[in-house]
Amino acid sequence: MNLLFQLLVNGLIVGALYGVVAMSFVLIYKASRIVNFAQGEFLLIGAWACWWLLTHWQLPFYIGFPITLAFMMIFGVVLQVVVLRPMIGEPIISVIMVTIGLSIFFQALMKWMFGVFAKPFPAIFASPTVNVFGLDVQTVYVVSLVISILIMAGFGWFFKFSRMGLAMRATAFDQQVAQSLGISVRQVFAMSWAISAMVSAVAGVVVGVVNGVSSALSFFGIKVFPAVILGGLDSVVGAVVGGLIVGLLENMAHYVDSQWLNFGNMYEIAPFYVLIAILMVKPYGLFGTKDIERV
Amino acid sequence: MTTTSMIPCGDFKTRYATDTTIFPTATSRNFAILGIVLLAVAPAFLDRYWLNLLIQIGYLGIAALGLNILVGFTGQISIGHSAFFGFGAFASAWINNRFGIPVALAIPLAGVLTTAVGMIFGVPAARLKGLYLAIATLAAQYILQDFFARANWFTGGVAGTIAEPFSLFGFVFDTDGRYFYVVLFYMVVMYLLATNLMRTRDGRALVAVRDHYLSAEMMGINLTKYRTMSFGISAFYAGIGGALYAHYLQFVSVEGFTILFSIQFLGMIIIGGLGSIMGSLMGTAFMVLLPELMQASTDLLSGTAVDRMLNLKDSIAFLREMAIGVVIILFLVFEPDGLAHRWKQIKAYWKLYPFSH
């Protein structure tokens, strides 16, 4: 029973991280109608950048981490301006393929620069585990849950009350009308990529601290898809819900697997089965907008 | 009009048959025949290295054509093609090993079996559009990969499976020079099939679904049927390609059919040109020759300062992956219509010189 509870907590924490990454994915999709297959590589690049600053330059975490975030912001903007801007107005397959190309490129680049083996982060917290309700939970997990919730709240505030967030929602709703009301759509696009890259990097650093940094991080980018699809592609709330569902589902599958099935990798594959099943019933996900199309 | 070697300026066709002909002029037909004849005598002149590359282009080209029918002609994005390719490879080996059916029959049967699997994943796909579909096929990729690793009875699990060499009436095609003809035969047949499919009512229906599915539905095209059908056809091609691959290597392991391989297939059709039959072949050739070119340049540079700086020997695998990514991006940004379109323009230029049109 204790194992089940531990897995539930784990699922919630990992799910919250998935939710954060899914949210940054949805942010790009909502603003610029681009499906970013390189989302996982954002995690990877952010984590490696932070790792490099902390180990190579021996910076303390509270300095290295903001530098990483600033770098990721610039990286996101540059990527949008250089690669994605020429793709505006191209068919969906081309845009998808460009982000896939980016994903392959960055993944290989990271392997080339930092090697294929996982590298551990230097210790960041004073004590590796803390006691929560009689359970030993890694400090990183607690912190990551807090960070996730903060980011989600931040997103909520950003979209509801800040000028930029309003501009983004307007752009997502109708690009042409937004433009005619004086919103700089270019700025919105660049901004959405910057924020998305930054938030993903936070998740990347957290996962890196837990498991060490390696190319396996980019699998997060793939795991985000079930989360996003479950929630519906253009729903920020849906992304969070979907992330939590996928996180819990993984851990529950792991539990079932370890107790009865002994498949060994149910953990990895269960979300995809559920994804297919959900799509059979609801082709637009749980919270996605249904397109009403007219000729 | 097929008697002249040049098409006169203007459109003088009076029948649909002349409009949809495969070879608009006698010259184009003769060139195609010449190409096949040249390929047929190729094993006599080429060494094993080039034959191996040609065979690779052959079976990958068949699978790429299948993906092009799905993505380029029907407009359904699929990111799981290599899983079907792998399924075809395992299916052919399994049919041959388990039931003792000769390889020559096992290959088409593997194609049929893969079609069935493609249809299974095609059923949910029939309701999905654009991106939701892309991600459903991504799920198919992972589910099938997982199945390969798990189904010991079918794939030999982690150990992989042995595939017998192709033989016909006791004559064994076990060398590159011999197997080349098997692949050539299949390639010519499959490419002709696809070309003719696009000239039929069904083929035109697929294109209509791509161009505007709502209008297509209003004109009486059964969307569900054609979407599922195009998944099936695409899986069939992938299965045949995979089966040819299995009996060429005579061993299939569960490792190779990853998402990266699927993306390479997508790269092939993007580079060749979406919705172009010959483009699939050109793109495949490009994708197969690109790593070889990189390897050759690495060998050329070995020992030089560049080599020492980049540590080429160890990093060639990563550089290769990076090159694939970069090439896909560059093609999409600078040459979105692909090689086939460029080739048409070059032909038109020569035909019309010194006039512009």
Side-chain angles (χ1 to χ4, degrees):
Chain A
M1 205 56 233
N2 196 6
L3 173 73
L4 182 65
F5 193 62
Q6 184 87 37
L7 281 173
L8 267 175
V9 173
N10 244 359
L12 270 178
I13 290 163
V14 175
L17 273 178
Y18 283 152
V20 166
V21 182
M23 241 168 25
S24 49
F25 175 93
V26 168
L27 176 69
I28 286 183
Y29 183 76
K30 259 183 106 82
S32 57
R33 294 282 147 194
I34 287 175
V35 181
N36 183 16
F37 269 80
Q39 199 72 41
E41 277 64 32
F42 283 172
L43 274 83
L44 194 61
I45 293 165
W48 275 124
C50 196
W51 177 87
W52 189 70
L53 288 170
L54 263 56
T55 54
H56 194 264
W57 296 98
Q58 301 291 338
L59 293 172
F61 186 75
Y62 59 86
I63 296 177
F65 190 59
I67 294 179
T68 307
L69 293 192
F71 164 75
M72 285 309 285
M73 256 183 119
I74 296 163
F75 174 78
V77 173
V78 168
L79 202 62
Q80 202 278 327
V81 170
V82 175
V83 184
L84 277 310
R85 195 161 283 176
M87 299 309 294
I88 290 175
E90 294 281 327
I92 186 169
I93 170 88
S94 309
V95 180
I96 286 183
M97 277 310 289
V98 162
T99 57
I100 288 177
L102 284 174
S103 139
I104 298 177
F105 173 76
F106 284 121
Q107 209 178 100
L109 183 73
M110 292 293 124
K111 277 183 198 160
W112 188 39
M113 282 168 73
F114 298 104
V116 288
F117 299 109
K119 304 250 173 74
F121 256 91
I124 291 171
F125 304 107
S127 74
T129 59
V130 282
N131 200 312
V132 185
F133 309 124
L135 273 178
D136 275 344
V137 186
Q138 284 191 319
T139 317
V140 185
Y141 275 150
V142 178
V143 174
S144 91
L145 191 60
V146 171
I147 289 179
S148 303
I149 291 168
L150 275 178
I151 288 176
M152 286 170 192
F155 260 74
W157 174 86
F158 176 79
F159 278 124
K160 263 216 151 30
F161 299 108
S162 77
R163 266 183 84 79
M164 197 70 214
L166 279 173
M168 250 181 215
R169 269 166 57 202
T171 312
F173 194 76
D174 192 329
Q175 219 168 291
Q176 275 180 328
V177 172
Q179 221 161 353
S180 65
L181 291 172
I183 291 169
S184 163
V185 170
R186 286 172 164 217
Q187 216 178 359
V188 166
F189 284 3
M191 189 77 183
S192 67
W193 279 79
I195 294 174
S196 184
M198 200 173 77
V199 171
S200 299
V202 175
V205 170
V206 169
V207 181
V209 170
V210 178
N211 303 341
V213 192
S214 76
S215 299
L217 266 178
S218 59
F219 199 68
F220 249 73
I222 299 285
K223 273 283 157 64
V224 161
F225 286 114
V228 172
I229 290 290
L230 289 180
L233 261 173
D234 43 11
S235 157
V236 177
V237 179
V240 177
V241 175
L244 287 172
I245 291 177
V246 169
L248 284 171
L249 195 80
E250 270 187 353
N251 282 281
M252 286 305 98
H254 186 60
Y255 178 71
V256 170
D257 200 10
S258 62
Q259 296 293 318
W260 296 289
L261 292 175
N262 299 320
F263 275 0
N265 62 347
M266 241 359 239
Y267 185 85
E268 300 265 306
I269 216 78
F272 291 108
Y273 280 111
V274 173
L275 167 75
I276 294 263
I278 294 258
L279 281 179
M280 294 276 272
V281 185
K282 288 180 84 85
Y284 292 100
L286 297 174
F287 300 93
T289 317
K290 273 207 171 68
D291 292 339
I292 297 171
E293 297 190 53
R294 298 177 181 84
V295 177
Chain B
M1 296 308 284
T2 52
T3 47
T4 50
S5 64
M6 299 276 270
I7 306 175
C9 193
D11 202 348
F12 300 112
K13 297 186 177 95
T14 50
R15 284 178 307 139
Y16 282 120
T18 50
D19 211 13
T20 56
T21 178
I22 300 180
F23 302 117
T25 61
T27 322
S28 61
R29 185 191 59 219
N30 295 342
F31 261 106
I33 292 169
L34 178 74
I36 291 170
V37 168
L38 273 181
L39 278 175
V41 296
F45 300 103
L46 296 175
D47 57 357
R48 273 200 59 181
Y49 171 78
W50 284 103
L51 276 180
N52 171 8
L53 286 185
L54 283 177
I55 290 173
Q56 274 191 49
I57 292 171
Y59 61 69
L60 291 175
I62 291 172
L65 177 60
L67 187 63
N68 214 342
I69 289 172
L70 183 64
V71 180
F73 284 106
T74 325
Q76 312 266 348
I77 302 166
S78 163
I79 318 178
H81 203 63
S82 77
F84 294 114
F85 184 86
F87 190 89
F90 285 122
S92 188
W94 177 68
I95 290 168
N96 177 248
N97 295 338
R98 175 83 176 66
F99 303 106
I101 292 171
V103 176
L105 280 174
I107 292 177
L109 279 176
V112 173
L113 208 59
T114 317
T115 311
V117 174
M119 292 271 198
I120 292 171
F121 283 106
V123 169
R127 292 187 67 196
L128 304 174
K129 283 201 296 287
L131 186 68
Y132 288 96
L133 174 66
I135 292 168
T137 55
L138 188 80
Q141 164 88 35
Y142 281 104
I143 288 171
L144 276 175
Q145 253 179 279
D146 183 55
F147 169 75
F148 292 156
R150 198 184 305 291
N152 275 329
W153 54 273
F154 183 63
T155 62
V158 188
T161 183
I162 303 283
E164 296 293 323
F166 188 94
S167 61
L168 211 58
F169 310 119
F171 184 78
V172 186
F173 292 83
D174 51 357
T175 64
D176 284 24
R178 289 177 179 180
Y179 197 75
F180 176 84
Y181 289 105
V182 179
V183 176
L184 181 67
F185 167 78
Y186 266 102
M187 208 192 82
V188 172
V189 169
M190 296 301 270
Y191 269 71
L192 271 178
L193 272 179
T195 312
N196 279 329
L197 170 75
M198 288 308 148
R199 297 163 71 204
T200 60
R201 184 182 184 282
D202 290 332
R204 286 196 301 276
L206 293 180
V207 175
V209 170
R210 173 194 71 190
D211 285 344
H212 203 228
Y213 71 97
L214 268 180
S215 317
E217 197 169 23
M218 283 171 184
M219 290 162 86
I221 288 171
N222 182 342
L223 277 188
T224 312
K225 174 187 152 186
Y226 280 109
R227 277 181 175 159
T228 321
M229 187 180 104
S230 108
F231 254 91
I233 293 170
S234 146
F236 177 71
Y237 273 78
I240 297 279
L244 288 170
Y245 156 88
H247 297 294
Y248 174 55
L249 288 191
Q250 293 170 27
F251 176 77
V252 195
S253 90
V254 291
E255 255 85 66
F257 310 109
T258 56
I259 184 102
L260 182 67
F261 193 19
S262 284
I263 290 165
Q264 272 177 302
F265 274 126
L266 274 168
M268 285 171 199
I269 62 171
I270 289 220
I271 289 165
L274 288 171
S276 152
I277 305 250
M278 278 328 274
S280 316
L281 195 59
M282 291 177 191
T284 310
F286 188 96
M287 229 15 169
V288 170
L289 296 176
L290 175 78
E292 299 301 322
L293 197 72
M294 288 186 70
Q295 189 65 54
S297 48
T298 311
D299 296 343
L300 209 67
L301 288 170
S302 68
T304 57
V306 182
D307 183 16
R308 273 195 296 280
M309 195 174 78
L310 298 178
N311 188 12
L312 283 175
K313 208 166 206 51
D314 303 330
S315 54
I316 184 73
F318 307 139
L319 288 173
R320 203 177 277 173
E321 275 180 40
M322 273 155 75
I324 290 170
V326 169
V327 161
I328 289 174
I329 295 169
L330 290 180
F331 258 93
L332 281 164
V333 175
F334 295 109
E335 188 81 278
D337 292 333
L339 289 170
H341 180 71
R342 179 60 56 189
W343 173 237
K344 271 198 192 106
Q345 284 180 323
I346 292 169
K347 271 201 308 202
Y349 177 82
W350 281 109
K351 203 177 276 178
L352 301 168
Y353 186 84
F355 307 110
S356 56
H357 55 76

